[in-house]
């Protein structure tokens, strides 16, 4: 997804001022992932093992895990979809 969607989408926008902050999922901190993001974003990566090293379960990162996904989930399931298409 990073190579096929995220990076091409970044190239379509002016992202010189963009900072990328990851959540604490362990697959996001794999060496290959971090290296790819560092090559793309330089020092504007906030992540465990990134240029701006952030500890796992940091108070500043966990709102992405707990608030954002809970909020999105509440929007998706607000009207109780009955089918996959819905």
């Amino acid at each position: 997804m990073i190579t096929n969607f995220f990076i091409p989408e970044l190239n379509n926008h002016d992202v010189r001022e963009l900072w990328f902050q990851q959540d604490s999922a362990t697959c996001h901190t794999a060496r290959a992932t971090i290296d790819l993001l560092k090559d793309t974003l330089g020092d504007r990566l906030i992540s465990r093992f990134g240029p701006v090293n952030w500890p796992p379960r940091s108070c500043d990162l966990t709102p992405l895990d707990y608030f954002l996904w809970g909020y999105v989930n509440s929007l998706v399931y607000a009207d109780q979809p009955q089918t996959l298409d819905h």
Side-chain angles (χ1 to χ4, degrees), residues 6 10 14-22 41-47 50-54 64:
F6 181 67
L10 283 178
D14 181 21
V15 294
R16 289 174 290 196
E17 300 298 320
L18 173 91
W19 283 76
F20 185 74
Q21 180 178 1
Q22 287 186 311
L41 298 163
D43 62 347
R44 299 180 324 261
L45 172 63
I46 302 169
S47 178
V52 179
N53 193 5
W54 224 259
L64 295 175

Side-chain angles (χ1 to χ4, degrees), residues 2-3 5 9-10 13 22-23 41 43 48 59 63 73 83:
I2 291 173
T3 55
F5 175 76
E9 193 63 31
L10 283 178
H13 301 283
Q22 287 186 311
D23 62 7
L41 298 163
D43 62 347
R48 191 170 180 214
C59 295
N73 217 6
T83 66

